[in-house]
Structures are given as structure tokens and as C-alpha cells.
Amino acid sequence: MGLAYTISPATVLDGVRMMFWAAYAVKEINTEEWIVDLLELVQTKDPGEKEFHQAVAEVASSLKPALERNPKYRQAKILERMVEPERVVMFRVPWMDDAGGVQVNRGFRVQMNSAIGPYKGGLRFHPSVNLGILKFLAFEQVFKNALTTLPLGGGKGGADFNPKGKSDAEVQRFCHSFMLELFRHIGPDTDVPAGDIGVGAREVGYMFGMYKKLVNNFTGVLTGKGATWGGSLIRPEAAGYGVIYFAAEILQTKGKTLDGCRCLVSGAGNVAQFAMEKLLHLGATPITFSDSSGYIFDEAGITADKLLFIKELKNMRRGRVSEYVERYPEAVFTPVDPTHDHNPLWAHKADCAFPCATQNEINAQDAHNLVQGKVQVVTEGANMPTELEGVHILQDNGVLFGPAKAANAGGVSVSGLEMTQNSMRLSWTRDEVDSRLKQIMKGIHQGCLDAAEAHGVAGNYVAGANIAGFIKVANAMLDQGVV
Ligand code: NDP
């Protein structure tokens, strides 16, 4: 029997209809136009949230190959849903200063996406904190957490509280007041916050203490806890170490190592300190670091002893980086000059650069300066430290670029391992956690390369990270229906 007899006229008509609708669908939702529409929608809905717009633009522009390959993502409005937080909590944080005066801050928790696990992401205490910044961080966190291969959704929170210049007792009262509201929105299977800028072991301790008292339950609701009461070894080091493991993986693809490399680092906090430590372990030499007052250039190189001084200065005394030159007069301190159109830190000649302070530290001019200074690798420790134009300049000039959501995922990965250890009620050794961290960073690196290659953008880590993270969350959202 011939094929012609098996296809009825009705079936042929259906086929034609399908072809028409497929063509119509492609025309209707041409990916380029659709991305422009989406960005317009996000900007119109929340006009003041420029960092959030920037993060959405960066992700959306690199998802084109994945969206074109699987029209279901557009039909099910996956990205339209992903840019809308599942929930935002905003609350008053009243507290009393040492002089008996009442102070009021604003607290937030953005619960962005729980398709693949409980919300997970840090808390930031910094005067610049607002809803737009936390939405950008929460949005990035969704993709980052998906890349880790751990079952973690994405969230972020914090307050416009400035811990700088506050006494220990004031920080404690603030943290307790913050948790007095936040506790009802989080839980070990709901939302597990961690640290970020301005929130380290001290703040996590105070918040955990209040949470435990309120719920009368010792549970792994925060990560970054002290090692003797539920914290994981290597958690403080994880984000910084992970950034350097990621850079080492990138270099390995070119048959190179970090040994002997001179490195620009910005920041002097948690991520910067442990990035510098791992660089030293691997035979590289950090030559800069910074804080919000300015930066240090130490041409002779920052050694292990000098790094100990930096840790003591920033973690114990909470001092300014300029004090470094009082101890090491051969180094140079350059204060921040807000009139400058670039940051001179990135104009020093070096092999590698690691922005580890905050968002938007590297603009187009800085990117040109990095290229001029012969930098071969830029790996982001901070979240979104490079402006989109800067990213393109670096990539177009052959600089190997490791984006934050892949490169700094070591922090949240070890937070995930902390959650696992809490659930199992055991503690792994330093070596065990470090070797798992290394494996995870290796896996994330490979995942970015594989996704980039499979979508026709081989070697592009930005596109690879966005696509790999997106597909994992998007498929879970498709499976779970419109919720
Ligand atoms: P810390 O608070 O420990 O350190 C932040 C550092 O950046 C400080 O040196 C601070 O200077 C500097 N800094 C902050 N804001 C500015 C600014 N506006 N201009 C210049 N310098 C600034 O934070 P972390 O090291 O934890 O975080 C740094 C970055 O890494 C952030 O983008 C964070 O989101 C990201 N990150 C952190 C992870 C973690 O586990 N901690 C994990 C993944 C990413 P100063 O001392 O003057 O305030």
C-alpha cells in the first residue's frame, strides 16, 4: 500500500495549518523584537531599577540561541515569569543606637525563583541597598545556583544599613531587629539566606541566634555559620577560592596556568581576601586591592604576610586600606576620585584581573585599559562588576572573560554543601569540602563551555553560563506548569 493512501485530506490540511502557525509564530515572536519588548516591559514596570534592567538585558541578549531552539520557552513565557519575583518582602527595621536614639532602616527579601529548590542567596547590608539592586542580585542568583548542579532556587535580601562605624552592640541590635521580621518568611526548606557585602560571620551569628530563639529550633536556616555551630569548613574561603579555580580552568584551555601571573584584584572583603590567598597558593602575585576609599598598588607584590595584615585590618579593626602604606611604605595608595571617568586600578599592566568589590566597577574605559595593559583573563568575583559594554570590549579583544554567575558560584556551592551537612548532622573535613568545591567549579566551567558550544557560541562563557542556567530552571518551570 502506497503512502498516499495512508494520509487523509484532513491530515494534510492539519499539516498546512501547522506550517502556517509555525511560520506565524516565528514571525509574531521574532526573538530580537521579543527581547526588545521584554526589556521595554521591565523598564516600564519598574523604571528606577537600573541595575535590574542591566542584568535582564545581559541575560536576555545571550539567550537567543536557546529561545530559538525551543519555542516552548517563549510560548510558556518563561523569561517573562523569571523577571517577576515570586515574592518580595519589604519591612521596617527599627533599632536603638548606643546613645539611646531610635534608628529606622528598610529591610528586604526578594524570593525570585524556587523552581529547582528553596530560595538561596545572601543578605547585603550597605547604604546603597534598594529593591532594584536586590532584584538584580536575586535574578543573577537564580542562574548561578542552577549552574552549581545543587537543588537551589534563587533569592537575595538585605537592608540599607551601614555597618561601618557602628559598635558591635549596635550591629547586634540591628541584626536581631532584622530577623524579628525576616524569620517568618524563611526556613530550611523555604529560603536559606547567607552573607554578602556587609554581612559576615558576625552578622550571620547574631541573626541565627535570634532565629533560633524565635522558632525554638536549631536548624540550618542560614549558611556561613560558625564552624563550631553548624557552619561548613571552607565556606568563608569558598567564593574567593572558587573564582581562582575557575580562572585556572579557563587558562588550562589555553595550556596555561596562574603560576607567575601578576594579578589585579579589587575589593578587600571576603571574596577579595580569599581570591588573593588562592592566587598565592597557585604561584601568582596579587599587586592591587581596594575598598570604597581608594586602592593600593604594591608593585613588589602582596605576600602571605601582607595578606595577613590586610585580613587583620579589614576583619578585626575594620580599618581603611590606606593604612597598608603606613606599614608597607613601598606601596602606593590612590584615593577614589569621583570625577574620574575610569578607575586607575585597572590601568596597571598585569596578566589577570579579578574585580571582587561590587557591581559596575569596570566600565568601557576600564575595559580598554585592561586590554592596553595586556590582561589575558578577567574573572569576576563580585556580582556584575563589569558593565555590558566593558564585557563586549574585553571579549572582542580576545580577553578570556569568566562571568560572575559562573565564576563566583563557589560561595553558594559551599553554602549548599553546608545545608547538606546540616541535614545529615555531620561535618566534612576541610580537604573534603575543598575538593568538592574544586570539582563543582570544574563542572560549572565545563557546563558553560558545553552549553556555549551546543548553541553555536563556542568559547563564550557569558552566553554559556546564561544558557546552561536558564535551560535548567526553564525546564523545571515547564514541568511544573503555570505557577
Ligand atoms: P565584603 O563586605 O566582605 O567586601 C566588600 C568589599 O568591596 C569591601 O572592600 C568594600 O569596601 C568594597 N566595596 C563595597 N562597595 C563598594 C563600592 N560601592 N565602591 C568601592 N568598593 C566597594 O563583601 P564580599 O567580599 O562578600 O562581596 C564582594 C562582592 O562579591 C559582592 O558583589 C558580592 O555580591 C559578591 N559575592 C560574595 C559572595 C560571598 O560569599 N561573600 C559570594 C558571591 C559573590 P569597604 O570596606 O570600604 O566597604
Side-chain angles (χ1 to χ4, degrees):
M1 199 161 53
L3 188 64
Y5 294 100
T6 64
I7 302 175
S8 71
T11 312
V12 172
L13 193 61
D14 273 347
V16 173
R17 270 201 202 110
M18 274 170 65
M19 276 164 62
F20 170 79
W21 283 113
Y24 177 74
V26 170
K27 187 165 181 290
E28 266 297 277
I29 47 172
N30 165 295
T31 313
E32 300 277 357
E33 288 168 9
W34 173 84
I35 288 172
V36 172
D37 286 355
L38 177 80
L39 296 179
E40 240 176 64
L41 178 78
V42 170
Q43 284 165 4
T44 314
K45 264 190 164 176
D46 301 300
E49 299 176 353
K50 63 180 170 36
E51 291 85 358
F52 180 56
H53 305 158
Q54 186 184 340
V56 174
E58 188 251 299
V59 169
S61 60
S62 63
L63 290 181
K64 195 169 164 240
L67 295 166
E68 282 177 346
R69 184 167 298 180
N70 190 346
K72 270 193 188 162
Y73 296 145
R74 281 176 291 167
Q75 285 155 5
K77 300 212 164 157
I78 295 293
L79 201 53
E80 287 92 329
R81 283 195 265 157
M82 284 172 88
V83 297
E84 204 57 61
E86 289 179 12
R87 187 176 301 103
V88 173
V89 190
M90 193 168 112
F91 50 98
R92 177 172 73 205
V93 189
W95 56 281
M96 206 166 270
D97 63 27
D98 288 345
V102 174
Q103 303 281 341
V104 185
N105 285 98
R106 183 174 282 179
F108 304 87
R109 187 70 183 164
V110 178
Q111 298 180 330
M112 201 75 188
N113 194 303
S114 61
I116 62 167
Y119 309 106
K120 180 94 196 84
L123 296 170
R124 177 176 291 192
F125 292 168
H126 193 271
S128 64
V129 161
N130 59 40
L131 187 56
I133 287 182
L134 294 179
K135 277 174 67 182
F136 121 63
L137 288 164
F139 184 69
E140 294 278 298
Q141 196 81 42
V142 172
F143 297 86
K144 181 188 310 191
N145 292 2
L147 288 173
T148 65
T149 70
L150 302 171
L152 303 170
K156 201 84 187 187
D160 60 355
F161 170 74
N162 188 359
K164 246 184 242 133
K166 304 288 189 301
S167 71
D168 210 49
E170 288 175 326
V171 170
Q172 179 170 171
R173 286 194 291 275
F174 175 82
C175 290
H176 283 170
S177 179
F178 184 82
M179 190 49 83
L180 271 170
E181 174 56 35
L182 187 68
F183 87 98
R184 66 187 93 246
H185 308 289
I186 61 175
D189 297 313
T190 311
D191 185 350
V192 185
D196 191 76
I197 290 179
V199 179
R202 174 181 64 164
E203 292 76 15
V204 168
Y206 293 146
M207 287 189 278
F208 183 79
M210 181 52 82
Y211 180 87
K212 180 168 61 70
K213 189 177 171 79
L214 289 165
V215 302
N216 193 26
N217 199 341
F218 195 109
T219 183
V221 72
L222 286 157
T223 56
K225 300 186 289 295
T228 54
W229 46 276
S232 174
L233 294 170
I234 301 285
R235 175 59 189 92
E237 293 89 339
Y241 279 16
V243 171
I244 305 307
Y245 290 147
F246 196 87
E249 289 293 322
I250 295 181
L251 278 166
Q252 205 178 38
T253 63
K254 304 288 170 199
K256 296 180 181 172
T257 70
L258 280 162
D259 193 17
C261 288
R262 287 171 67 79
C263 303
L264 306 176
V265 177
S266 67
N270 174 270
V271 179
Q273 289 173 18
F274 288 107
M276 289 195 272
E277 185 166 292
K278 189 48 74 180
L279 284 173
L280 290 171
H281 291 169
L282 298 181
T285 306
I287 54 174
T288 62
F289 64 98
S290 67
D291 66 13
S292 48
S293 66
Y295 84 96
I296 296 289
F297 173 56
D298 187 342
E299 190 162 20
I302 294 154
T303 58
D305 281 350
K306 290 173 176 177
L307 181 56
L308 265 183
F309 173 82
I310 297 168
K311 285 184 180 174
E312 196 266 332
L313 170 72
K314 295 307 282 186
N315 307 347
M316 314 304 287
R317 288 192 283 123
R318 297 178 194 274
R320 314 307 289 150
V321 294
S322 53
E323 289 180 44
Y324 183 89
V325 291
E326 291 162 23
R327 178 70 172 266
Y328 305 105
E330 69 276 19
V332 180
F333 170 69
T334 306
V336 163
D337 180 353
T339 62
H340 253 168
D341 64 346
H342 70 281
N343 180 349
L345 187 158
W346 306 119
H348 292 281
K349 198 170 174 309
D351 304 299
C352 310
F354 301 98
C356 296
T358 191
Q359 62 272 6
N360 294 331
E361 299 181 60
I362 297 180
N363 64 18
Q365 186 55 53
D366 295 317
H368 280 301
N369 290 344
L370 287 164
V371 171
Q372 208 75 46
K374 303 268 184 284
V375 164
Q376 297 165 39
V377 180
V378 174
T379 304
E380 296 184 321
N383 283 309
M384 205 169 70
T386 317
E387 292 178 7
L388 194 51
E389 210 187 336
V391 175
H392 291 151
I393 290 165
L394 294 170
Q395 288 177 323
D396 292 348
N397 284 281
V399 176
L400 298 163
F401 183 80
K405 59 172 81 66
N408 74 20
V412 72
S413 300
V414 175
S415 275
L417 300 181
E418 182 171 327
M419 289 162 72
T420 307
Q421 292 169 78
N422 290 167
S423 303
M424 294 163 77
R425 298 190 187 282
L426 52 76
S427 300
W428 293 326
T429 63
R430 253 186 102 77
D431 283 351
E432 185 159 5
V433 181
D434 195 27
S435 91
R436 283 175 193 264
L437 170 64
K438 235 182 260 171
Q439 275 315 112
I440 290 173
M441 296 315 296
K442 216 177 169 57
I444 294 173
H445 175 266
Q446 195 56 47
C448 293
L449 283 185
D450 291 348
E453 171 127 26
H455 290 82
V457 280
N460 184 335
Y461 288 96
V462 176
N466 287 337
I467 291 171
F470 173 79
I471 287 178
K472 180 158 184 199
V473 178
N475 287 346
M477 290 174 74
L478 285 177
D479 290 348
Q480 292 167 22
V482 182
V483 289

